[in-house]
Amino acid sequence: MKNQNTTRPSSYFESISATRFVPTLHVGGGWNPAEQHIAPAVGLLAHVVEAHRDARRQDGLQIGRVSYDIYGVLPMEACDVEIEVIRPGKTIELVEARLTHAGRVGLTLRAWLMTASDTTALAGNDFPRLPSPDALPATDMSRIWPGGFVASIQLRRSEVAPGNAISWINSDVQLLAGADVSPTARMLGLLDTANGVTPRAQPSEVAFPNIDLSAHLIRQPVGDWLGFDTKVAFGPTGLGVTHSIVHDVQGPVAVLSQSLTVRPKAR
């Protein structure tokens, strides 16, 4: 019997060049494992924006807001990144990054980069804190969702009702092989999980993919675990929203919203 190599990749993406990246098996999507889950691509574009920033300037402008638009599905094949500074500035910049496959845009990011200043004396918020990850029971997302990305995620969750839950996620898979990825890019690479941690309807009966993702950061994240206080709403005409307050182990770190297209499946 021949020996089979069972080594699994340790990253979501591997780089072919500075602007070309190939997904690993961990990127397989929840709606279709033959297509990319958009979450790792969200993190990849954030990482490329930060790397582009550091190649242009030395002051480390921080990501304050990200707005992604999902143009369509991406196959499990190599993709290219294009980047452009839309609004240059000394203390604030707007940068756009585009992820393309075979010349077709699949995902865009517009990121506001802002200067850092010491506002420790003013820091605070009134968002309710989440219980620690250890206080919530482990949940197997693979019972609901297929694909390599979901299989790579550890989930701990307390669900009040479908579409209303608090949860913590973690992944030991790196975003990009051999790269020094910031905590912010790593966090952004996990945010799209929020739309699947507490489905309001069973994915086998209703499709509810998000067409965008926007996040406003309160501060830079710390630690390995990422928490969500998530509410999902479906309207009567096919519109929906997944809204989450995002936490790390120190407390709230971002506010996240995703626009959904809700489509009951034919029986």
Side-chain angles (χ1 to χ4, degrees), residues 49-50 68 82 114 135 149 250 255:
V49 164
E50 290 185 323
Y68 295 85
E82 304 168 353
M114 307 178 187
F149 177 72
Q250 293 184 356
V255 178

Side-chain angles (χ1 to χ4, degrees), residues 122-141:
L122 302 172
N125 65 80
D126 291 323
F127 294 124
R129 293 290 296 267
L130 296 185
S132 69
D134 292 340
L136 302 185
T139 302
D140 184 4
M141 287 183 71

Side-chain angles (χ1 to χ4, degrees), residues 54-167:
D54 292 343
R56 294 182 293 108
R57 53 194 302 164
Q58 306 301 314
D59 52 357
L61 293 181
Q62 59 190 339
I63 292 179
R65 190 222 68 180
V66 292
S67 179
Y68 295 85
D69 287 302
I70 303 167
Y71 283 45
V73 299
L74 290 165
M76 292 287 286
E77 299 174 3
C79 293
D80 299 289
V81 174
E82 304 168 353
I83 193 163
E84 179 182 1
V85 179
I86 301 294
R87 188 273 194 193
K90 184 177 180 180
T91 61
I92 298 175
E93 284 192 338
L94 179 61
V95 180
E96 180 172 290
R98 298 172 291 274
L99 188 67
T100 67
H101 174 263
R104 181 184 64 85
V105 177
L107 178 69
T108 64
L109 161 63
R110 281 201 167 193
W112 279 106
L113 308 182
M114 307 178 187
T115 191
S117 58
D118 185 0
T119 55
T120 304
L122 302 172
N125 65 80
D126 291 323
F127 294 124
R129 293 290 296 267
L130 296 185
S132 69
D134 292 340
L136 302 185
T139 302
D140 184 4
M141 287 183 71
S142 295
R143 293 183 300 176
I144 301 175
W145 298 101
F149 177 72
V150 169
S152 75
I153 296 295
Q154 305 168 53
L155 173 66
R156 306 187 73 85
R157 185 187 69 177
S158 176
E159 190 172 59
V160 177
N164 183 358
I166 58 174
S167 57

Side-chain angles (χ1 to χ4, degrees), residues 169-190:
I169 65 168
N170 195 358
S171 173
D172 58 5
V173 178
Q174 299 173 348
L175 179 61
L176 179 61
D180 184 12
V181 174
S182 74
T184 295
R186 178 185 181 275
M187 176 187 74
L188 294 174
L190 296 174

